[in-house]
Amino acid sequence: MTLTSPHLGSSEAWTDARLLYALEEVVEKELNRHLKVAKDWMPHEYVPWSDARNFPGFFEDGTVWEPEQSKVTDIGKIALVVNLLTEDNLPSYHHEIASLFGRDGAWGTWVHRWTAEEGRHGIVMRDYLLASRAVDPDKLEQFRMTHMAEGFESDNRHSMLHSVAYVAFQELATRVSHRNTGHQSGDPVCDRMLARIATDENLHMVFYRNLLGAAFEIAPDLTMQAVRDVVVQFRMPGHGMPGFERAAAQMAIGEIYNMRIHHDDVLQPVLRYLKVLDIDGLGPEGLKAQEELGLYMGGLDSEAAKFDEKLAARKARMAARAAH
């Protein structure tokens, strides 16, 4: 596939403002497509309200929370808290993308629509966790306050192209994390709720992935460099939350999100769909970025293979212990 950039002289001619203007029609087209396929849904319909009881405090009949009150698995609880705290930071995410993409025209319409759809995810997850008593409500609120009070600054806030590249991968990563959490939760109600959220996240990924494809057509070298930087330095937006490293390690072992999943189910699908490693006609900087991206993906695959071996050995040890 050969892509050529417009006659704007050098890559330096592509400022964020020019890119936003050049991509406005694509944003409008993708927004209209999104609005046709996205389905409105009611968060309250996914919550098991009949399982809910009062908590102590103002209510004399309140029941103290106990871990055994929920059917959700231990790994499901850990992942649900991580996923919810990530969704909780929506005000910061909105500020980031509204500052980068603007609040006018198709860009602004998308920013507000995306924020409104994402808002449902935090609402339904918190309601589910409290109604089903899946986690300690006091700790959940303390974690939320700590995480949100620290604020959030994107690693990619310096560049509109880097931000588009990041969210193309991150929305898919979030979809995969929610979907796998549902599968591992041990509760069909939880699984159904997270499947609904994952459907939204997939549509968001498609929007940003298609926008990234359009960016490759108008500014291939700059876009390739942005994708290279984002993939090599990728971090989930929840990295600043309390206890994230430990929770991430447990989620990796629990096969909710790990290196193999990140390589196979998040990075590869987007790169393959856009044929990123096959794009030709690049300038020196774009070609260098493409080569470095290919090398990184090969290295990540090798690291994932080592992780797979360790995980298989761990499972074998646990099975042997259970047999005795």
Side-chain angles (χ1 to χ4, degrees):
M1 176 168 69
T2 303
L3 301 176
T4 56
S5 64
H7 302 293
L8 277 178
S10 66
S11 291
E12 285 71 31
W14 276 121
T15 61
D16 275 6
R18 283 193 172 187
L19 283 163
L20 287 166
Y21 179 77
L23 290 167
E24 176 98 27
E25 282 187 22
V26 180
V27 171
E28 186 171 1
K29 176 187 159 198
E30 288 301 318
L31 172 63
N32 289 334
R33 182 197 53 75
H34 177 83
L35 293 174
K36 281 179 185 173
V37 295
K39 290 184 171 66
D40 271 342
W41 55 279
M42 302 298 133
H44 54 268
E45 293 178 359
Y46 287 80
V47 178
W49 298 107
S50 59
D51 293 346
R53 282 165 283 168
N54 289 341
F55 289 101
F58 289 108
F59 295 101
E60 293 181 5
D61 63 342
T63 305
V64 175
W65 178 83
E66 300 287 350
E68 61 273 6
Q69 290 167 351
S70 169
K71 62 186 84 167
V72 174
T73 60
D74 288 342
I75 188 60
K77 291 173 182 176
I78 292 165
L80 278 162
V81 170
V82 168
N83 291 353
L84 174 55
L85 290 179
T86 300
E87 300 285 358
D88 275 335
N89 243 353
L90 182 61
S92 287
Y93 308 149
H94 173 84
H95 174 74
E96 292 269 334
I97 67 167
S99 299
L100 268 167
F101 299 156
R103 294 171 175 81
D104 301 320
W107 281 104
T109 304
W110 166 254
V111 165
H112 295 303
R113 173 72 192 198
W114 175 87
T115 302
E117 290 184 7
E118 288 286 347
R120 287 189 182 127
H121 303 168
I123 291 168
V124 73
M125 288 176 71
R126 172 165 281 100
D127 286 348
Y128 167 82
L129 289 177
L130 296 178
S132 68
R133 292 183 166 244
V135 298
D136 184 334
D138 293 351
K139 280 190 179 175
L140 185 65
E141 177 59 9
Q142 289 158 9
F143 282 160
R144 187 190 70 82
M145 284 295 296
T146 300
H147 186 40
M148 290 192 69
E150 284 179 2
F152 172 83
E153 284 193 339
S154 166
D155 296 333
N156 304 289
R157 63 190 179 279
H158 62 286
S159 156
M160 173 265 187
L161 271 182
H162 282 71
S163 296
V164 170
Y166 176 74
V167 287
F169 294 107
Q170 185 266 324
E171 292 282 3
L172 184 51
T174 307
R175 170 191 179 262
V176 168
S177 182
H178 282 312
R179 202 69 196 92
N180 289 344
T181 299
H183 291 329
Q184 302 276 12
S185 68
D187 180 12
V189 174
C190 180
D191 191 26
R192 186 166 61 245
M193 170 193 68
L194 291 176
R196 178 57 262 186
I197 292 174
T199 300
D200 279 2
E201 303 289 11
N202 197 63
L203 290 178
H204 297 162
M205 178 277 293
V206 170
F207 178 95
Y208 288 120
R209 182 197 65 193
N210 292 353
L211 194 55
L212 186 61
F216 267 116
E217 291 183 9
I218 65 170
D221 290 302
L222 282 178
T223 306
M224 186 66 73
Q225 292 171 72
V227 169
R228 184 260 328 264
D229 294 345
V230 162
V231 168
V232 170
Q233 299 163 17
F234 188 88
R235 296 196 295 175
M236 288 295 274
H239 59 78
M241 70 180 59
F244 179 77
E245 287 75 16
R246 177 174 168 76
Q250 290 168 309
M251 288 167 70
I253 293 168
E255 296 181 87
I256 286 173
Y257 202 95
N258 56 39
M259 269 193 289
R260 172 54 63 203
I261 292 168
H262 183 59
H263 178 277
D264 290 2
D265 300 339
V266 176
L267 298 181
Q268 281 283 31
V270 175
L271 294 176
R272 195 182 300 119
Y273 182 88
L274 297 177
K275 299 181 172 62
V276 172
L277 296 176
D278 300 322
I279 292 172
D280 52 22
L282 294 165
E285 288 300 311
L287 196 58
K288 179 172 176 276
Q290 188 182 47
E291 289 170 354
E292 288 174 351
L293 180 61
L295 287 170
Y296 177 81
M297 290 299 292
L300 182 63
D301 191 34
S302 298
E303 288 297 311
K306 291 176 190 172
F307 175 83
D308 291 342
E309 289 174 13
K310 288 180 182 175
L311 191 59
R314 185 178 186 276
K315 284 181 180 175
R317 286 196 304 272
M318 291 178 70
R321 280 189 207 136
H324 291 298

